[in-house]
Amino acid sequence: DKKLIVVFIPIGTPNIETAIDKALESTPGAVALVDAALYSKYWYFPYIVGEVGYYIKGTALIDPALANRQR
C-alpha cells in the first residue's frame, strides 16, 4: 500500500493491513503468507512529490479448493 506526498502534504496514510490484503489477492486461492517480511519505503523530492508505503513479501499458503473455484 502506498500513498503520494504532494509538495509536503501526504495524500493519505499507508496501511499495513491493506498491503497484506493486496499481497493475498495477487495469488488465486491464497489464504495466508508464510515467511512474510514487511518493508517500509519512502522517497521524496523536496517541495515537489514523493511516495511513502508498505510492501510485503512472502510465500502464499494456497487453499486448493479456493484456487480451483476462482479459475
Side-chain angles (χ1 to χ4, degrees):
D1 190 31
K2 58 187 175 180
K3 302 294 179 192
L4 285 175
I5 301 170
V6 179
V7 182
F8 60 88
I9 302 169
I11 308 299
T13 304
N15 188 320
I16 294 172
E17 288 183 27
T18 304
I20 294 169
D21 289 342
K22 287 181 179 180
L24 290 172
E25 290 171 0
S26 69
T27 304
V31 293
L33 291 173
V34 181
D35 297 329
L38 178 68
Y39 300 95
S40 173
K41 292 187 181 180
Y42 172 87
W43 64 269
Y44 180 65
F45 291 115
Y47 304 109
I48 300 174
V49 69
E51 188 174 78
V52 61
Y54 292 115
Y55 301 85
I56 190 158
K57 290 184 178 182
T59 304
L61 182 63
I62 298 173
D63 182 353
L66 290 176
N68 292 333
R69 184 172 48 180
Q70 291 181 355
R71 286 184 188 174

